[in-house]
Amino acid sequence: KPDADGLGELVRLQAAARALAPRARPVSPGRLHLTLIHFGKAGEAYTRLADATGVSRAEFGRALRVYLAATEAALPDHDFLLSAVGLAGFGVNGTTLAVECRPTHELEDIHAALYSVLLEFLVACGVPDPGAYAADDPALAFSAVLRPHISILHGFRLPVGAALPPVTAAPMRLTPLPVLYRT
């Protein structure tokens, strides 16, 4: 989660970008967070995994609890600083507008640990080739590559001829906090 100054800058960027695309849906300030690996909604993940492997809801639930504990253990116990480098579209259609952050060596190590935990979760759910499954899964497709970002708007389409607002903020202080989307 970003500190107060970082949150203020994110809300400013969100408002400036939304002025260009008023129909875009803002991420509420309380849900603004750095994404290292997008997991998606647990219920949807279960449906896709059950279709692919036949994993039961109970087995999925056990694997998910282990996954959550392991992701929390992989996060540092201290705040860290990240610099925003620009705005970019994310997701399959690029319609999630996000603030991209410059990766650090520490973040690369954290991401590698989190990706390993994700692959272990997929194996626990009966996936024989977790890397291939993750690459083909709509929620996990981008998980193998570190691209740290903070999503600020959904359903964003930049009007022709418009320019995204510049990112000029000082580095943001972030507090590690595991995130799992609602089912």
Side-chain angles (χ1 to χ4, degrees):
K1 292 281 189 184
D3 67 358
D5 290 341
L7 184 60
E9 176 62 8
L10 293 169
V11 170
R12 182 196 71 77
L13 287 168
Q14 188 180 60
R18 193 159 186 227
L20 300 170
R23 290 190 173 148
R25 298 176 315 280
V27 176
S28 68
R31 292 183 51 98
L32 290 170
H33 63 274
L34 177 74
T35 301
L36 296 176
I37 291 183
H38 180 266
F39 185 88
K41 296 178 181 176
E44 292 173 7
Y46 168 71
T47 299
R48 290 190 305 275
L49 281 163
D51 288 347
T53 67
V55 67
S56 71
R57 188 167 291 281
E59 292 168 319
F60 175 84
R62 282 191 292 280
L64 186 61
R65 285 188 295 279
V66 170
Y67 172 74
L68 291 173
T71 59
E72 189 167 356
L75 294 174
D77 60 358
H78 60 275
D79 292 356
F80 53 95
L81 294 175
L82 284 183
S83 297
V85 294
L87 296 172
F90 276 74
V92 175
N93 298 317
T95 58
T96 296
L97 185 65
V99 176
E100 279 196 286
C101 297
R102 180 174 293 112
T104 64
H105 292 298
E106 181 181 26
L107 216 52
E108 289 168 354
D109 292 344
I110 295 166
H111 176 265
L114 292 173
Y115 186 67
S116 176
V117 169
L118 174 66
L119 297 180
E120 291 170 11
F121 163 76
L122 293 173
V123 167
C125 289
V127 175
D129 185 348
Y133 178 91
D136 289 338
D137 183 83
L140 304 176
F142 305 102
S143 62
V145 177
L146 173 61
R147 197 166 167 204
H149 64 280
I150 300 171
S151 299
I152 60 173
L153 292 171
H154 296 291
F156 180 83
R157 295 203 189 281
L158 185 65
V160 176
L164 290 170
V167 175
T168 59
M172 285 183 280
R173 180 170 302 282
L174 293 121
T175 300
L177 178 71
V179 175
L180 180 70
Y181 289 95
R182 298 184 304 260
T183 57

